[in-house]
Amino acid sequence: MLYCAGKSKAILQYYFSDKKTKKFESNLVPIEVETIQPNSLGVCWRFFGQGVNNSAFYELFACGTSPSFKFNGIGFDLYMDGVQMGGSEYYYRSGTNSVSRVDQMIPTPGLVTSGNCDCLAECEIKVIKDNKVIFSDKGDCPLKFTVTCDDDCPENSHKCKHNRYPGYCCVPCKETGDRLKNMANKVGR
C-alpha cells in the first residue's frame, strides 16, 4: 500500500512489544511500509528435570501459553497447550520437574537440551521508496504502526486546533468516545 501520495512528508510511528513509540520521517514520498511478523503465538517455556531412566538432567524449550506436567505412573510427561512434548519415552523423575518462562533460549552446559524458542522471533518494519529500502528496524513482536502525511492526524482520530506548536492536536476517536460514555454514565446515576 502506498502512503502519502501527493503529499510532502510521511511520518511513520511504530512500536514493538515494549510499547515505546519510535518515529521515522521521510520527505521521499510516496512510501510503502512492509512488515514481517512471524505467526507464532505464545511465549517460550523451559521444562527441566531428571530423566526417569537415567541420572541425566534434561531441559526442553517450547512455545505456547499453558505448560503443564501429567503424572503417568512412573514419571511426569511434559505438555504444552494440551499436547505432549518430547515423545512417549521423554518424562521426568517426580520431584525434579519444573517449568519456567524464559526470554530467550540459552542452553545450560551439562544438560541435554532440546526444543526451541521460535515464538520469540523478531518482527521487522521496512520503509520502501521506489523498490529500495530507505529505513528498517527490528524488535520483539508484536509490531504496530501508523503512517500520517504532512500535518494530517492518524486514522481514527480527529484534528483539533491547539494554541501550542504545531497549532493542532490529534484526538483518538474511540478513546474520547469511551471517556464521554463513562462520564455520561456517571452523571446519569
Side-chain angles (χ1 to χ4, degrees):
M1 176 176 179
L2 278 178
Y3 293 94
C4 303
K7 302 288 183 166
S8 60
K9 178 171 65 173
I11 301 117
L12 168 70
Q13 290 189 331
Y14 63 98
Y15 62 85
F16 295 105
S17 66
D18 62 4
K19 304 233 179 193
K20 292 180 181 174
T21 301
K22 297 180 179 183
K23 187 190 247 185
F24 171 76
E25 294 186 23
S26 176
N27 293 327
L28 303 172
V29 288
I31 61 167
E32 291 180 72
V33 177
E34 179 182 304
T35 62
I36 299 168
Q37 301 191 62
N39 291 328
S40 296
L41 297 175
V43 295
C44 194
W45 299 89
R46 177 186 178 257
F47 292 89
F48 170 80
Q50 185 177 20
V52 169
N53 297 326
N54 56 40
S55 61
F57 283 88
Y58 297 85
E59 63 185 351
L60 180 133
F61 293 89
C63 294
T65 58
S66 182
S68 61
F69 291 97
K70 185 176 179 183
F71 189 68
N72 64 18
I74 300 170
F76 284 89
D77 291 320
L78 292 58
Y79 284 84
M80 180 60 72
D81 299 330
V83 177
Q84 187 176 356
M85 307 296 296
S88 61
E89 298 294 319
Y90 194 98
Y91 44 90
Y92 295 156
R93 185 181 314 269
S94 180
T96 67
N97 56 309
S98 68
V99 64
S100 57
R101 182 178 172 169
V102 294
D103 293 326
Q104 58 184 316
M105 181 179 167
I106 301 174
T108 306
L111 298 186
V112 178
T113 302
S114 60
N116 64 60
C117 284
D118 286 348
C119 58
L120 301 177
E122 287 186 316
C123 284
E124 183 175 12
I125 188 165
K126 296 178 183 179
V127 177
I128 300 164
K129 171 67 177 160
D130 297 328
N131 295 319
K132 293 180 184 168
V133 176
I134 60 172
F135 173 79
S136 70
D137 194 7
K138 292 182 179 181
D140 292 337
C141 298
L143 163 65
K144 302 285 183 188
F145 77 93
T146 59
V147 176
T148 56
C149 308
D150 296 337
D151 63 352
D152 294 341
C153 286
E155 191 175 324
N156 298 319
S157 66
H158 182 74
K159 188 174 185 177
C160 298
K161 290 184 181 184
H162 196 278
N163 58 0
R164 290 192 206 152
Y165 179 81
Y168 67 93
C169 65
C170 298
V171 180
C173 297
K174 181 175 180 355
E175 183 180 308
T176 304
D178 290 346
R179 284 184 185 169
L180 290 171
K181 286 178 192 172
N182 189 23
M183 287 188 314
N185 288 337
K186 287 180 180 177
V187 170
R189 289 183 187 167

